[in-house]
Amino acid sequence: MATLKRSSTTDRDISPPPTKRKVTTATTSKVVANFFKPASQKEPEKSIFTTVNDSLLVAHFGNANTIDRTRPFKIAAFDFDSTLIKTKSGNKFARGADDWTWWHASVPGRLKQLHEDGYAVMVLSNQGGISLKAPDAKSKTIKSDTKSLENFKGRVLAVANVLDFPISVYAATQKDMFRKPRTGMWERALRDYGISDDNALDLDHAGSIFVGDAAGREGNKAAGIAKDFSSSDRDLAANIGITFHTPEEFFLGEAPLPYTRTFQPTDHLTSTAFTPSITAAHPLEIILFCGSPGSGKSTFYQTHLAPLGYTRVNQDLLKTRDRCIRACRDALGHPDPAQRRSVVVDNTNADVATRAVWIDLARTHKIPVRLVLFTAPPKLCEHNDTVRALASDKILNPEDRTLLPKIAFTSFAARYQPPQLSEGLEEIIPVDFVFTGDATQRGIWSRYWIS
Ligand SMILES: Nc1ncnc2c1ncn2[C@@H]1O[C@H](COP(=O)(O)OP(=O)(O)OP(=O)(O)O)[C@@H](O)[C@H]1O
């Protein structure tokens, strides 16, 4: 399994390693009882909740991760909201710590049976509405995040108390390697349970399961059945290589329904498109790139145009457009004609006005402008961006890029004006995405990364 990059390996607030002592659930009950006391009566206690990198919330109830088991080890992992529990209020989001009820009456009994059958039972939940960062008194957002955190902890404690057997809970709060369908939470759980995923004898993949409601089911408008909001639970199970069930399949025995995935990376590995070969058509020229973030512009430059000696101008690296323009002028107008270089403007160049700046500059140097148009669709660009930022593969991330905010993609889409020759372009060269990585990168890239 490919390892995911950890932005920092330092864990914060991690409790000392639990002892092998089998802890009775009285421990859990005490924590739970204390949690529900008014603040004035709360006993000081070491929280059962710990955090990793201000991002992952972890709780082990009944020393779940220290139970001696015969290997290979089987895991039964579950999403939390809309899988194990639902809101009592009927609201989409819980109103408070006690706004919950079992997703179905059979849930607690079924989980207990799994425990008795030797499964490690755990929860893997995305909780994007929670912040684990220290609260800032002035920030309303952080205050509401803190409330969400307390509500979530309250529901987890109450659920663990009713279950009354060892269980671990993991909640991913950031858009990082822990967030499903990325496998960081699972890898963390394996580590906590002392399982090496490299050793096939340690984990019974065929016997392990993941149950979640983000299954990509298409829904049925006529029957009033809503479409699933994503396929991230199904995709996580596929990334790990274990069996996936929806709650309806697992708890109610219903037949599987048709589904479509949010994004299927392997659909983009069979492309029969060919990459146009670019030659240095002129002694001196500007090549304008036009394409979304993550569409493959910089990779194309490195593969096709750096070898031709073209100078790259890129605003992510140079920071301002003025610096880009200066770098372009320097390359085109070097005092020594032998040192003059054609320029690739490796920016998104979404609209006519932005492109006009470069076309005007070319005019003053009396040189032509060709435009390379990157046609990768939005989800593919988002996938590329995520793999680049979160997979620890240097070749896929030569410039150490971090994850772009969603607005980088939506703002490109909003500003985009299809380029026209009439803008003053000599040629428009469309480039479809054709995967060029090696077998290792293909393995990483083929996994599910976005939801
Ligand atoms: N043809 C390709 N084959 C395989 N991987 C690719 C290809 N093109 C791009 N990628 C990968 O996709 C990710 C994004 O590519 P790249 O950085 O070239 O995009 P970009 O359009 O320059 O993005 P930005 O505008 O955000 O700088 C990188 O991880 C890169 O390795």
Side-chain angles (χ1 to χ4, degrees):
M1 178 178 289
T3 48
L4 297 175
K5 185 164 84 180
R6 296 179 197 286
S7 54
S8 155
T9 50
T10 49
D11 295 349
R12 208 170 59 77
D13 297 336
I14 294 296
S15 312
T19 61
K20 279 272 179 189
R21 178 173 60 97
K22 178 143 174 44
V23 172
T24 66
T25 44
T27 312
T28 308
S29 308
K30 195 172 146 218
V31 174
V32 175
N34 196 36
F35 183 88
F36 285 108
K37 279 182 188 163
S40 58
Q41 294 170 27
K42 271 192 194 198
E43 294 164 25
E45 63 170 49
K46 185 156 182 44
S47 173
I48 198 157
F49 291 95
T50 59
T51 63
V52 181
N53 296 345
D54 277 347
S55 166
L56 180 68
L57 187 68
V58 183
H60 299 296
F61 295 93
N63 274 13
N65 60 342
T66 61
I67 300 161
D68 276 330
R69 287 167 196 275
T70 319
R71 284 164 198 248
F73 190 85
K74 284 185 296 189
I75 291 179
F78 296 83
D79 179 37
F80 194 51
D81 298 306
S82 307
T83 295
L84 295 186
I85 61 167
K86 58 187 178 185
T87 60
K88 212 164 27 186
S89 62
N91 276 17
K92 190 169 175 207
F93 299 108
R95 282 185 183 163
D98 58 358
D99 185 11
W100 73 277
T101 182
W102 294 110
W103 182 81
H104 184 262
S106 63
V107 170
R110 192 75 195 277
L111 296 186
K112 180 126 201 202
Q113 189 59 53
L114 287 167
H115 165 68
E116 282 165 6
D117 292 345
Y119 283 85
V121 180
M122 62 178 68
V123 169
L124 305 177
S125 172
N126 283 349
Q127 292 291 331
I130 290 176
S131 171
L132 299 177
K133 302 221 163 79
D136 165 356
K138 284 190 201 135
S139 158
K140 277 198 186 132
T141 325
I142 301 282
K143 265 192 195 155
S144 83
D145 287 349
T146 309
K147 204 166 153 225
S148 310
L149 172 62
E150 292 313 311
N151 284 347
F152 178 71
K153 282 182 176 177
R155 285 181 291 136
V156 166
L157 286 166
V159 164
N161 193 34
V162 177
L163 288 179
D164 204 20
F165 62 79
I167 181 169
S168 295
V169 176
Y170 294 84
T173 68
Q174 303 289 315
K175 288 183 178 152
D176 58 12
M177 67 285 185
F178 294 123
R179 189 176 170 80
K180 296 179 288 185
R182 277 95 81 170
T183 51
M185 245 186 319
W186 172 261
E187 282 153 16
R188 177 74 196 194
L190 294 189
R191 195 180 122 181
D192 287 352
Y193 280 72
I195 301 168
S196 144
D197 196 37
D198 298 334
N199 183 351
L201 290 178
D202 269 357
L203 182 72
D204 177 358
H205 270 94
S208 295
I209 53 161
F210 183 64
V211 180
D213 68 314
R217 286 165 293 180
E218 290 152 9
N220 182 338
K221 246 190 182 162
I225 303 168
K227 186 175 179 289
D228 284 344
F229 62 95
S230 90
S231 59
S232 60
D233 287 332
R234 188 185 294 280
D235 296 346
L236 171 70
N239 279 343
I240 300 168
I242 62 174
T243 304
F244 174 77
H245 301 286
T246 62
E248 286 80 359
E249 291 160 23
F250 189 75
F251 293 115
L252 309 180
E254 290 184 4
L257 291 173
Y259 63 89
T260 44
R261 296 198 122 104
T262 306
F263 178 71
Q264 180 59 50
T266 50
D267 287 352
H268 298 271
L269 292 175
T270 51
S271 168
T272 50
F274 79 103
T275 307
S277 65
I278 295 247
T279 50
H282 304 283
L284 218 50
E285 65 173 333
I286 290 179
I287 292 189
L288 271 186
F289 282 176
C290 175
S292 160
S295 57
K297 300 182 295 298
S298 302
T299 305
F300 187 89
Y301 167 80
Q302 297 298 353
T303 314
H304 299 281
L305 291 157
L308 298 179
Y310 280 53
T311 292
R312 175 181 174 220
V313 162
N314 175 279
Q315 199 161 324
D316 288 326
L317 298 174
L318 295 175
K319 304 298 175 206
T320 67
R321 191 160 73 181
D322 280 352
R323 282 198 201 146
C324 290
I325 290 172
R326 219 174 306 140
C328 182
R329 283 208 179 105
D330 290 349
L332 294 173
H334 196 282
D336 173 2
Q339 302 285 318
R340 288 180 191 158
R341 293 282 176 269
S342 291
V343 169
V344 175
V345 184
D346 177 12
N347 296 336
T348 57
N349 293 316
D351 52 55
V352 174
T354 308
R355 296 190 288 264
V357 171
W358 300 104
I359 294 167
D360 289 348
L361 186 64
R363 241 178 237 131
T364 62
H365 284 84
K366 299 189 172 49
I367 57 170
V369 182
R370 290 188 288 165
L371 182 140
V372 178
L373 178 61
F374 293 82
T375 64
K379 283 278 174 209
L380 174 55
C381 297
E382 204 190 317
H383 174 82
N384 274 341
D385 173 57
T386 309
V387 179
R388 177 174 64 186
L390 298 183
S392 42
D393 186 290
K394 194 73 198 150
I395 294 175
L396 290 168
N397 195 8
E399 287 165 351
D400 218 10
R401 296 282 299 270
T402 53
L403 203 62
L404 289 169
K406 188 107 192 151
I407 196 169
F409 298 95
T410 50
S411 119
F412 174 82
R415 286 184 299 121
Y416 179 65
Q417 294 171 311
Q420 311 285 343
L421 292 178
S422 56
E423 290 173 44
L425 300 166
E426 183 190 77
E427 190 183 1
I428 296 172
I429 306 163
V431 170
D432 296 337
F433 182 85
V434 180
F435 189 85
T436 53
D438 67 15
T440 307
Q441 282 133 26
R442 183 177 285 255
I444 297 168
W445 198 91
S446 303
R447 294 159 63 99
Y448 301 102
W449 290 86
I450 60 170
S451 57

